[in-house]
Amino acid sequence: MVEQGGELAKAVVVLAAGVVAVPLFKRLGLGSVLGYLAAGLAVGPFGLGFFSEAQTILHIAELGVVMFLFVIGLEMQPSRLWNLRRQIFGLGVAQVAVCGALLTAAGVAVGFDTPVAFVAAMGFVLSSTAIVMQMLDERGDTSTPRGQRIVSVLLLEDLAIVPLLAAVALLAPQVPGAETGSRWVQVGVGLVAIVGLVAVSRFLLNPFFRVLSRARAREVMTAAALLVVLGAALAMQWGGLSMAMGAFAAGVMLSESTFRHQLEADIEPFRGILLGLFFMGVGMSLDLRLVAADWPLLLAAVVATMLIKGAGIFLVARLTRAHGAEALERAVLMAQGGEFAFVLYSAGATAGLIAAPTHALLTAAVILSMGLTPLAAFALRRWQRNAPIVPDMHDVQAAADIPGSGHGAAGGVLIIGFGRFGQIASQALLARGIPVTIIERDTDQIRNAAKFGFHAFYGDGTRMDVLRAAGAGHARAILVCTDDRAATTLIVEEAKKTFPLIPLLARAYDRQHAIDLVRHGVDFQLRETFESALLFSNAALRQVGVPERDIEEIAEDIRRRDLERLQLQMAGGIAQGRDLLHGNRWTATPLTKPKRTGQALNDEAAAAIGAAGDGPAAVQSSN
């Protein structure tokens, strides 16, 4: 039936399996990763048989891992990576070295040749970035000091794939007639690809996105974001390296770009779907016949390998002064093999270093370990439920050492729109020392803001995914300073639904707009010309000789009357005060009653006063 329906039927099967399995597994507390793996196993060639070529789906779904690492790269500014250098190149190298040595020794002990044992061990050492980051994200631990230490190790492991692939090329048996220097040529090509990618990302991408942003076409920016990710991945693949590393490098280079949050929001939907498809592809790839042939031995080998790796992780964590509970958690979360193991094992098999049966067994072992990790994490959470983890002073100190652990406006104020109004509104916040993050669509305004040291980012403020990427969910307040009436209303309406606990202040265009904003739940609104016009009239009173005390009383009275009228209009709506309207149109009325009746100075004015009926006192203001 699926074959008759073609590709559309296959897409429906994949989506249906994910939609059914993931909510079910999350409801059981097992997480979405295990749900995707189970869904893939169910519809794959060793399950219900809807798909016969799991590797084809897995190759396509690897783009999910590529985009995932691009998003991670966007969060890793070079300055932040530099501050994490001790954890990345200290803790990360120590964990890879210790676990690699233990697993290599275990492989030699069970009869593998040393080169094969080394490649098999190092493939298992590279934990699954996708699984670990997904579990950290679901638990809200990604930005915590504990989570950042895990992320640092994962980054080092992702970086390690480059020298490991070179090592596979060097350890592979020499093919008769092959040039001796060909392996080093491949390494040189890889280095050239890295340097070229860094140069393009550093010097060309920002001007490229600046030109595209002027078109104000959302689909073009989305296409450009995909072009950057896939182009970087392709460049690294042509250089004989990992596609994921290319995407990560491009993300790091763009992490301090003004377009960072917009890029993250554009990539996010594709990343989530393709990453889920990757996990389903992994589930489809599990050869149940191979597992069933000698499942007790294979399962025991997987568990033993995970225990050895977990012991190495725990040992390194304790030697680096991690709390015991944190060390255990790190060991459980990172004990599995990862997606880069497939890349490394495939390279070893292609180079003739790993035999086909061994390749199949190693791949099955990694997949089983990925499936066991969510179960182990679930068991750990249940065990720790009555013994919550208490952070020690080392954990607290680490929080202070990790810059930018929040996202964008976290802990500060987010200003949407940085025109004349937004620039003035930011001054009082900056004078008080409150961090300000700006979302703006005008690249000229972004460049001007950067000259004065503002953290300004390109983005569409009406999109809640952009605001979420900018840290709106953790901001102390959101200020909507856009000059577009419809956009301001939309931002207020959506932001109140998405971030209901964050104070929301908005710039109103006129009285009707102010009423609309109040009805949408804005915490504070101000008509953009009200206070300036009032101050202007106060200056006029001074010029004509009115005492300062009277000027203050008049201004206060105008504010009070204006607020009362606004409240009456809010309570009664358009029907309230109908006698003040000409038809259904807003018309002007003075805020204070005139001292004398208006006098016509010509025939046209007399005709206008007569048409008004009740005179100027009946006119309603629209300011």
Side-chain angles (χ1 to χ4, degrees):
M1 181 177 62
V2 173
E3 292 298 331
Q4 293 176 354
E7 299 301 322
L8 180 60
K10 293 182 179 180
V12 170
V13 169
V14 168
L15 292 175
V19 167
V20 171
V22 172
L24 176 62
F25 276 74
K26 293 195 72 172
R27 184 67 179 270
L28 295 175
L30 300 176
S32 60
V33 173
L34 194 59
Y36 282 121
L37 292 172
L41 182 61
V43 300
F46 306 105
L48 298 177
F50 288 106
F51 298 88
S52 57
E53 293 294 334
Q55 289 299 321
T56 302
I57 295 177
L58 194 58
H59 287 319
I60 297 174
E62 282 178 359
L63 294 177
V65 180
V66 168
M67 293 182 182
F68 190 62
L69 282 177
F70 177 74
V71 173
I72 294 175
L74 287 176
E75 298 296 332
M76 293 293 166
Q77 299 92 338
S79 58
R80 187 177 177 189
L81 286 173
W82 178 252
N83 282 278
L84 290 173
R85 63 189 183 279
R86 293 184 179 178
Q87 295 183 21
I88 295 175
F89 297 103
L91 176 61
V93 170
Q95 180 170 310
V96 169
V98 170
C99 294
L102 291 175
L103 290 177
T104 300
V108 172
V110 297
F112 285 122
D113 293 335
T114 301
V116 177
F118 173 76
V119 174
M122 297 311 296
F124 209 93
V125 163
L126 304 180
S127 304
S128 173
T129 301
I131 287 181
V132 177
M133 291 296 296
Q134 183 85 353
M135 290 192 295
L136 287 176
D137 186 60
E138 290 178 353
R139 299 163 62 172
D141 288 339
T142 305
S143 297
T144 64
R146 305 156 62 85
Q148 287 292 295
R149 285 189 281 274
I150 294 177
V151 171
S152 299
V153 177
L154 291 173
L155 286 176
L156 188 280
E157 291 179 351
D158 292 340
L159 291 170
I161 188 64
V162 178
L164 286 175
L165 288 173
V168 167
L170 293 174
L171 292 173
Q174 183 68 40
V175 179
E179 297 181 6
T180 307
S182 61
R183 298 171 179 177
W184 295 107
V185 170
Q186 186 178 2
V187 174
V189 171
L191 292 176
V192 170
I194 294 174
V195 173
L197 177 62
V198 170
V200 170
S201 301
R202 181 69 178 84
F203 299 108
L204 296 182
L205 289 185
N206 268 325
F208 172 66
F209 282 112
R210 193 174 298 119
V211 171
L212 293 180
S213 67
R214 294 195 179 101
R216 295 187 178 274
R218 176 177 173 180
E219 66 278 5
V220 173
M221 289 297 291
T222 302
L226 291 173
L227 175 62
V228 168
V229 178
L230 300 181
L234 182 61
M236 294 297 271
Q237 187 181 48
W238 281 348
L241 302 175
S242 165
M243 292 192 300
M245 280 308 304
F248 175 75
V252 171
M253 292 299 103
L254 287 169
S255 61
E256 294 181 343
S257 165
T258 56
F259 302 94
R260 164 190 162 192
H261 296 309
Q262 183 75 33
L263 289 170
E264 184 176 349
D266 287 335
I267 290 295
E268 183 64 28
F270 302 96
R271 179 203 61 95
I273 293 174
L274 288 173
L275 193 60
L277 186 60
F278 170 79
F279 291 133
M280 292 184 69
V282 171
M284 293 180 193
S285 300
L286 182 59
D287 190 339
L288 291 182
R289 291 173 300 185
L290 181 64
V291 174
D294 202 357
W295 68 266
L297 182 60
L298 180 60
L299 184 60
V302 171
V303 172
T305 304
M306 293 179 68
L307 288 175
I308 293 172
K309 182 182 176 182
I313 295 172
F314 185 87
L315 176 63
V316 172
R318 293 296 287 158
L319 290 176
T320 54
R321 298 183 300 165
H323 192 272
E326 179 190 347
L328 180 60
E329 180 184 43
R330 195 186 304 172
V332 170
L333 290 180
M334 304 184 73
Q336 82 290 131
E339 49 275 359
F340 284 137
F342 304 138
V343 177
L344 194 63
Y345 294 160
S346 297
T350 303
L353 184 64
I354 301 177
T358 304
H359 181 207
L361 284 172
L362 292 176
T363 302
V366 170
I367 295 173
L368 285 175
S369 71
M370 294 170 75
L372 290 175
T373 297
L375 294 175
F378 174 73
L380 179 64
R381 288 198 304 271
R382 292 292 298 270
W383 180 70
Q384 292 178 335
R385 180 168 295 176
N386 297 324
I389 298 173
V390 180
D392 57 2
M393 290 306 297
H394 173 63
D395 207 33
V396 175
Q397 179 62 37
D401 293 338
I402 298 177
S405 58
H407 295 77
V413 171
L414 178 65
I415 295 181
I416 305 171
F418 201 61
R420 293 170 297 169
F421 191 96
Q423 292 169 18
I424 297 172
S426 67
Q427 293 302 300
L429 297 168
L430 295 171
R432 187 65 179 173
I434 298 174
V436 172
T437 298
I438 298 160
I439 295 294
E440 174 60 68
R441 292 189 64 180
D442 189 333
T443 54
D444 293 331
Q445 294 287 10
I446 292 174
R447 283 199 298 271
N448 292 334
K451 294 178 182 178
F452 295 95
F454 288 100
H455 298 291
F457 297 97
Y458 175 86
D460 184 354
T462 62
R463 294 177 55 185
M464 293 304 104
D465 51 356
V466 172
L467 300 191
R468 187 178 291 107
H474 304 283
R476 295 167 66 179
I478 300 174
L479 278 58
V480 185
C481 301
T482 53
D483 58 1
D484 186 327
R485 173 175 176 165
T488 300
T489 304
L490 178 60
I491 293 171
V492 168
E493 182 180 4
E494 295 300 322
K496 263 301 172 185
K497 296 177 184 176
T498 310
F499 315 108
L501 301 180
I502 307 299
L504 186 63
L505 298 80
R507 165 191 183 181
Y509 176 74
D510 56 16
R511 176 176 294 275
Q512 181 63 59
H513 190 210
I515 293 173
D516 293 340
L517 294 177
V518 173
R519 286 175 175 165
H520 282 112
V522 72
D523 295 286
F524 176 81
Q525 54 74 31
L526 179 67
R527 301 198 300 283
E528 59 188 18
T529 58
F530 179 74
E531 284 293 335
S532 58
L534 186 57
L535 291 175
F536 189 85
S537 66
N538 291 348
L541 292 177
R542 292 188 188 94
Q543 292 296 322
V544 298
V546 178
E548 191 67 31
R549 184 174 181 180
D550 291 347
I551 293 175
E552 294 177 0
E553 290 179 356
I554 291 170
E556 184 60 32
D557 182 65
I558 292 174
R559 289 191 181 95
R560 178 181 57 81
R561 289 172 179 268
D562 179 73
L563 180 59
E564 289 177 358
R565 289 181 56 231
L566 193 65
Q567 291 173 342
L568 287 173
Q569 292 166 345
M570 283 294 304
I574 298 297
Q576 185 72 19
R578 181 168 298 195
D579 57 322
L580 301 178
L581 299 173
H582 290 294
N584 289 325
R585 299 186 55 147
W586 294 85
T587 53
T589 184
L591 295 172
T592 57
K593 185 176 181 179
K595 299 290 185 181
R596 58 184 179 180
T597 306
Q599 300 294 324
L601 300 180
N602 53 37
D603 294 339
E604 289 80 2
I609 293 175
D614 295 331
V619 183
Q620 181 177 356
S621 172
S622 63
N623 65 345

